[in-house]
Amino acid sequence: MNTLAHSGGPGPWILLFPLIWAAVAVTVVTVLRRTVRRGGRRGPWSPRTADVPVEQSPITLLGRRFAAGEIDEDEYWRRLSVLDEQFGRTGRGGAA
């Protein structure tokens, strides 16, 4: 303890250690939050778009069937009017 008194103290470099520990803590918290947000199945390096579910609203499915030629235009408009009353076009499914 006598050497610190003669040399003028530890100096300003002693602040480096708390900064290093703060950086480690922030990194750990960030990695954990990103992993938990994705369901904990993959690490933080995996792409975020892999967990996005495909929207399968009835109006969207009807639009796909019409685009694929499974139903004709009259059938499309008839079914769309029924679905529009129940689900509405402004919901997450969007317009067909």
Side-chain angles (χ1 to χ4, degrees):
M1 202 63 173
N2 209 5
T3 57
L4 289 179
H6 293 294
S7 67
W13 59 270
I14 195 75
L15 297 176
L16 183 66
F17 292 113
L19 290 176
I20 290 173
W21 281 112
V24 168
V26 167
T27 302
V28 168
V29 168
T30 302
V31 168
L32 288 176
R33 286 183 68 201
R34 291 180 63 133
T35 303
V36 169
R37 190 180 319 154
R38 290 189 175 102
R41 291 174 291 188
R42 289 186 279 276
W45 51 87
S46 63
R48 188 178 288 240
T49 58
D51 293 336
V52 178
V54 177
E55 183 66 36
Q56 295 292 327
S57 73
I59 295 175
T60 304
L61 291 175
L62 181 64
R64 288 184 184 166
R65 288 187 65 195
F66 177 64
E70 296 177 21
I71 57 175
D72 62 350
E73 187 176 358
D74 293 331
E75 181 76 15
Y76 171 76
W77 287 112
R78 212 167 0 112
R79 291 184 183 202
L80 183 63
S81 65
V82 172
L83 291 174
D84 198 22
E85 290 175 5
Q86 290 179 354
F87 297 100
R89 286 188 169 198
T90 58
R92 283 189 59 166

